[in-house]
Amino acid sequence: LPLLLLLAPWGPCVSGGLRSPRRRWPVPYRRFDYRPKTDPYCQARYTFCPTGSAIPVMKEEDVIEVYRLQAPVWEFKYGDLLGHLKIMHDAVGFRSSLTGKNYTMEWYELFQLGNCTFPHLRPDVDAPFWCNQGAACFYEGIDDAHWKANGTLVLVTTISGTMFNEMAQWVKYDNETGIYYETWTVQASPDKKSTVWFDSYECSKFILRTYQKLADLGAVFKKIQTNYTSIILFSGEPVYLGNETSIFGPQGNKTLAAAIRDFYSPFKSHQSVREFFVNLLKIIDSVILNHQFYLFYNLEYWFLPMKSPYLKIIYEEVPLPVGSKASYGV
């Protein structure tokens, strides 16, 4: 079951019946029938899943330990620096009792976080150009030093080989249909009961889905505290603007198109120090003083009327799941 079946030569096609009705909150994350071929323009500084392999088929009688893995984002480069801000990356580990082999499974961006969060503005293309895909990666081994040094490596449950194999089939489905990375959670206020307009779709959400699938298959999780990072934007009720064609196409809204390009312009990569500070002032002016943010979600653009505190990074507890009889996704 290879997980690097990522570059099918088709564009994404929305699965029938999954188009979300307007003003249903949160807007459901849209799944697709195919993963689009990546454009050569999109280049990653670090190769996606360089040692990735197929998920093995486990023997039914195997007993497999499941580990929660968490470490600061870019820990391999900056150590625990981002850990102080509670910006964490999540993964899941497995250990086969029959073979003694360890495995790691995680979900992350193909072209790094910046490209998934903000587009490129190309002079020859009117519409913002997005280098955005996320996918699962499975490989043999668990880098104990990476996860233990500044993070977490803890046993959360044990499962049978049969349950592992069923989970693997679900991972294939999840990986082939959930193809776009969504950085932001958008909600009405910091209150825990406030309306969520959009939910993020990133590494921690993949781990939570995996845990839930295992619980649905019968896994019983230990009672330990588990926290996850979310980056939240605070906004009044979002306004739907349209898709790339309706905004940037021949019959599009040129005023709106210009406004969206102007908004994204300060977020460009590879800036000089002077450009960074100039653009930071533009971002503050747009988001905080003028209460404006343009969100690209499910291949559609939305206007967010921003409000205080505008942005917050939280490290919030999400309990390990309790199983149900219903199977998720397969």
Side-chain angles (χ1 to χ4, degrees), residues 76-268:
F76 68 94
K77 186 172 184 180
Y78 298 118
D80 67 345
L81 176 63
L82 294 177
H84 293 298
L85 300 175
K86 299 299 184 184
I87 303 177
M88 308 295 282
H89 173 66
D90 298 272
V92 59
F94 304 96
R95 181 183 181 276
S96 165
S97 297
L98 286 181
T99 67
K101 290 184 176 180
N102 298 324
Y103 304 92
T104 300
M105 184 170 71
E106 51 192 327
W107 196 95
Y108 56 99
E109 323 91 27
L110 271 65
F111 310 110
Q112 273 79 69
L113 179 61
N115 282 321
C116 292
T117 307
F118 300 107
H120 294 263
L121 301 179
R122 302 194 293 183
D124 56 333
V125 180
D126 288 336
F129 183 79
W130 294 86
C131 292
N132 181 7
Q133 283 194 42
C137 177
F138 187 94
Y139 53 94
E140 186 172 339
I142 296 176
D143 184 351
D144 287 23
H146 169 71
W147 302 106
K148 284 183 177 180
N150 301 302
T152 301
L153 194 164
V154 61
L155 178 70
V156 291
T157 190
T158 57
I159 60 175
S160 67
T162 299
M163 292 163 64
F164 179 92
N165 295 335
E166 291 189 45
M167 178 209 70
Q169 291 297 321
W170 168 83
V171 170
K172 182 176 185 293
Y173 154 81
D174 188 79
N175 194 55
E176 290 177 347
T177 62
I179 57 181
Y180 291 113
Y181 189 101
E182 300 291 353
T183 302
W184 311 107
T185 294
V186 185
Q187 62 186 56
S189 78
D191 186 88
K192 288 188 176 182
K193 295 183 179 180
S194 72
T195 301
V196 175
W197 310 118
F198 301 92
D199 208 352
S200 60
Y201 196 87
E202 26 73 5
C203 66
S204 68
K205 297 302 171 66
F206 172 74
I207 301 305
L208 290 169
R209 293 194 304 276
T210 301
Y211 288 161
Q212 186 61 60
K213 177 62 181 178
L214 291 176
D216 292 344
L217 291 171
V220 178
F221 285 86
K222 295 178 177 292
K223 296 185 183 299
I224 59 175
Q225 182 171 334
T226 52
N227 289 61
Y228 302 89
T229 300
S230 293
I231 305 176
I232 303 177
L233 299 176
F234 297 102
S235 164
E237 184 168 356
V239 178
Y240 175 71
L241 300 176
N243 58 26
E244 180 177 306
T245 301
S246 66
I247 297 173
F248 298 95
Q251 306 302 317
N253 185 327
K254 294 187 182 301
T255 301
L256 177 58
I260 293 174
R261 287 182 63 92
D262 287 346
F263 172 78
Y264 284 128
S265 178
F267 295 97
K268 67 182 179 180

